[in-house]
Amino acid sequence: MTFFMYVGYLVKDLKKFYDKASKEIKASLFVVVILIWGDFILDFKSFWLVHCDIGRGPVDVFASLAACFSLIVICG
């Protein structure tokens, strides 16, 4: 859990670059992130942070961060 908090802390500095990006860049990034999240859902094996079961490893960690980003964009 602290890993996700730390990544959020690091990404906070990148927000100013994201805000300055054009609409086309933002839309392209969002589509890529949604596709990564969709692949994560379709190929789900297991992902339980409380049991230290990461499933497919770093791929699932990256996909879960992509899911978090897409939800933040959708809710924002």
Side-chain angles (χ1 to χ4, degrees):
M1 290 297 277
T2 57
F3 173 73
F4 287 93
M5 292 170 41
Y6 183 64
V7 168
Y9 176 76
L10 293 176
V11 170
K12 174 184 67 166
D13 295 332
L14 297 175
K15 187 175 179 341
K16 58 185 166 191
F17 296 113
Y18 179 78
D19 290 339
K20 291 181 184 178
S22 67
K23 289 182 181 181
E24 293 84 11
I25 300 274
K26 289 179 182 178
S28 301
L29 179 64
F30 185 70
V31 167
V32 168
V33 166
I34 290 292
L35 290 174
I36 292 171
W37 186 20
D39 181 59
F40 178 62
I41 292 170
L42 293 175
D43 290 339
F44 182 77
K45 304 288 185 225
S46 65
F47 191 81
W48 303 95
L49 290 177
V50 294
H51 295 290
C52 254
D53 180 12
I54 306 297
R56 296 180 295 166
V59 174
D60 280 352
V61 172
F62 179 72
S64 65
L65 289 172
C68 292
F69 174 77
S70 61
L71 287 175
I72 288 170
V73 170
I74 290 169
C75 293

